[in-house]
Each structure stands twice: as C-alpha cells, then as structure tokens.
Amino acid sequence: MITLRTFIEQEQPRINAALAEAAAELPVSIMPIAQYAMGNGGKRLRPLLTVLVARLLGYADNDIYPLAAAMEMFHVATLLHDDVMDNAEMRRGSTATHKVFGVTETILAGDALLAKGNQIVAGFGDPRLTAATSDAIAQTANGEILEIANQGKNAPDLLIYNQIIAGKTAWMIRTSCNIGAVRANGTPEQVAGATDYGFNLGMAFQIVDDALDFAPSSLTGKPEGGDVREGKLTPPIFFYANSLAPAERDAFFARFAEQSFTDEDVRHVIDTVRAQGFDDKTRGIADTYLRKAQENLDALTAGLPASPYGEILTSFIGYVRNRDA
C-alpha cells in the first residue's frame, strides 16, 4: 500500500529531476541562482498534488512531471520576491537567495522562473492550463499587494485576511490540483472537485502556518512571533487584540502600526496567545476548510475505482491539520 510518506519518497526525485532539467535550460547568468533557490529543500507540496490528482483520474503519462515542476517554479519565484520584500535572512534553513546573489539578481531570477514555468505550461498546447497558471500568478501578486496595503492595520473581522491568504497561498495550491485534473481530461465535475479541494486545502495550510508562528522555534525552525513584528493581522493576533480592554487594544494597534514592539512585548503576546489557546482556536478555523476539502474529495472520488491516490489525498488533509513545522 502506498502511503503519503512513500508517495513523497517515490515522486520527489522525479519532480526534482524535472526541476533540474528546466533549470539547466535557463540562461547562464540565471541558472546558478535558480538552482540554489530550488535546491533549498521544500516539501514540493504543489507539484505532488498535481501528480496525485492526475494519477487519481487515471493519467499515467510521465509528462505530468514537467507540468508539476512548473508549479514549483512559480512557487519558488514568489518566495524569492517575498524574501526580498521582507529582507529575510534565511529560507528553509539556508541563507536567503538575495543574501547570496544580490537583490536585483534575485528579483530578475524570480522573473525568469515565472517565464520558464509559463513556457513549460504553454508547451502542452492546452489554453486551459495556461489560463489557470496565469491566473494563479496574478492572484498571488494580488494577495501580496493586499498584505502590504494592510500591514499594521486593525480590522473588524478576518475578511481581508481571508482575501490575502486566498491570493498568496490558496490559489497556487488550487491551481496545482486544477491542472492535474485538466491534464487527465477529467470531467467538468471532476475538475471542479479537484480545484475546490486544492483551494480549501490551501486556505487551511496558510491558517495553520499562521498558528505555527506562535509555536516554539525549536519545533518550527523559525523565529517566534514574526507576524507580530511585521504587522500582519493573522487570526491569533486578531483574537489576542480583541481579548484586550479598549484602551489596551488601542495602544497595541498603535505599536502594531509602527512595528515598534520590543522583544519583551512580542514575548508577552506569544505567551498570551498560547495561554489563552488562540493558536488552537486558529487551527479550528483551518479545520472548517479541511472538512470542506474532505467533502470535495469525497465528491471527486465518487464513482472512481478504488485507488491509493484518493487515500493519499485524504492523508494530505491530515498532514495539514497536524503539521507542527
């Protein structure tokens, strides 16, 4: 029986080979930057989902790997740009690409990865694939712009937050599932089911990630409370702020807007979020999306022959729910 772990171990080398082949076709000035960025680990979640959905729907051709790799190229490109905007020091446990190769070079390499990914997708000759991936890139940019525009701002609810994470995270995961179903010539209902599964999985993935911002760095490998320092109104911070008395809440958001918290201030927020269970409450929001994802998957697999791929897609839901890093 193929489990999620064995599937990842089986498919990652094939995806990595497709990524290496694509990187080798880039111009000489870009190649080492792309190779460094794409070689810095990563779960390969998006391309794995493309392969999984295609296999679930009976697609056996190995040309699914270059298509899946294009999704990872898009993802890595957004990470390169994101790290430049955040002036991040590290990515996936290694020195951030722009700290190694320079800011301008990294931005341009990210642009080249987007172009190369689009070239790969266009090579399949299916306008549905090109339209889907182009839309995902635009939605990702929209999510990032929304996040910048709302940095340090208070909000009466989590509506803007949901719009931000739908763009910057969920849409690319949605599209990874969509193009797998499209390439497999799924029925309109199957394509819709795979697409909705990906969107709900992606929303949950980012919400859990924002809960993990308050987990011990010994577990995550990331600094704790980064969203507090950066003025990002994620659910744990929203719940924390709304637990304060009005005067305290106003004072909190004044410093939130200025991004002027001391380490001691951030530590207090982290400790309170944990003590009051606001991180667990955030995971509860993720669970609503994961339940929807399971409903989407049940509809997608209805009438299909028994397959380990459906079980692995269910395992992905459990992986997102329980992830601690």
Side-chain angles (χ1 to χ4, degrees):
M1 176 181 174
I2 303 177
T3 64
L4 176 58
R5 180 183 294 276
T6 57
F7 179 80
I8 291 172
E9 291 172 350
Q10 169 187 298
E11 299 296 339
Q12 272 189 344
R14 296 167 183 170
I15 292 166
N16 289 338
L19 286 169
E21 183 176 343
E25 296 172 355
L26 290 167
V28 174
S29 63
I30 298 165
M31 192 188 308
I33 308 174
Q35 289 171 334
Y36 179 84
M38 292 193 295
N40 270 350
K43 305 174 187 70
R44 308 297 194 227
L45 169 68
R46 292 149 191 84
L48 285 167
L49 286 168
T50 300
V51 174
L52 259 177
V53 170
R55 298 298 190 232
L56 173 71
L57 297 179
Y59 191 75
D61 199 304
N62 284 339
D63 71 1
I64 199 65
Y65 295 110
L67 182 62
M71 294 306 304
E72 185 69 9
M73 296 177 82
F74 297 144
H75 175 57
V76 171
T78 64
L79 295 181
L80 292 179
H81 293 162
D82 198 42
D83 284 348
V84 167
M85 289 187 293
D86 293 344
N87 195 28
E89 295 288 336
M90 305 290 289
R91 167 65 65 180
R92 296 169 174 169
S94 299
T95 304
T97 305
H98 65 280
K99 297 292 184 181
V100 177
F101 294 94
V103 169
T104 302
E105 292 86 347
T106 297
I107 292 171
L108 293 172
D111 295 343
L113 284 175
L114 293 174
K116 184 62 181 176
N118 278 316
Q119 181 188 53
I120 291 169
V121 174
F124 285 85
D126 188 336
R128 295 174 300 171
L129 297 175
T130 307
T133 53
S134 297
D135 192 29
I137 294 167
Q139 290 291 344
T140 302
N142 178 60
E144 293 286 356
I145 291 169
L146 273 177
E147 185 170 67
I148 293 166
N150 288 277
Q151 203 163 3
K153 292 183 179 179
N154 188 6
D157 51 41
L158 292 171
L159 178 61
I160 296 295
Y161 167 80
N162 288 333
Q163 293 173 355
I164 289 169
I165 67 169
K168 79 171 194 174
T169 302
W171 210 271
M172 198 68 77
I173 295 175
R174 172 191 189 272
T175 302
S176 298
C177 295
N178 170 273
I179 64 172
V182 169
R183 187 61 185 163
N185 291 315
T187 66
E189 293 77 16
Q190 289 170 336
V191 172
T195 302
D196 290 344
Y197 167 86
F199 179 79
N200 286 311
L201 190 74
M203 290 292 287
F205 186 90
Q206 184 59 54
I207 293 167
V208 170
D209 205 59
D210 291 336
L212 286 171
D213 191 56
F214 294 87
S217 57
S218 58
L219 288 178
T220 66
K222 303 175 185 177
E224 299 170 30
D227 291 336
V228 180
R229 294 183 175 90
E230 295 172 16
K232 297 177 181 178
L233 189 61
T234 61
I237 299 171
F238 177 82
F239 296 139
Y240 167 80
N242 282 281
S243 73
L244 301 174
E248 292 177 315
R249 185 164 58 248
D250 290 344
F252 171 81
F253 276 115
R255 303 195 72 178
F256 193 63
E258 298 167 353
Q259 296 178 38
S260 61
F261 292 115
T262 66
D263 289 345
E264 185 179 350
D265 294 331
V266 174
R267 184 76 256 165
H268 173 74
V269 176
I270 293 168
D271 291 344
T272 304
V273 165
R274 291 179 187 169
Q276 296 295 324
F278 297 141
D279 49 350
D280 289 337
K281 187 175 180 180
T282 297
R283 284 179 177 269
I285 299 174
D287 271 342
T288 64
Y289 286 101
L290 292 174
R291 285 192 290 271
K292 291 177 184 177
Q294 186 63 61
E295 291 170 4
N296 301 143
L297 183 58
D298 291 342
L300 175 61
T301 56
L304 291 176
S307 162
Y309 300 114
E311 295 176 9
I312 297 168
L313 287 165
T314 296
S315 296
F316 254 110
I317 293 173
Y319 161 73
V320 171
R321 176 179 288 116
N322 298 319
R323 59 188 284 252
D324 57 9

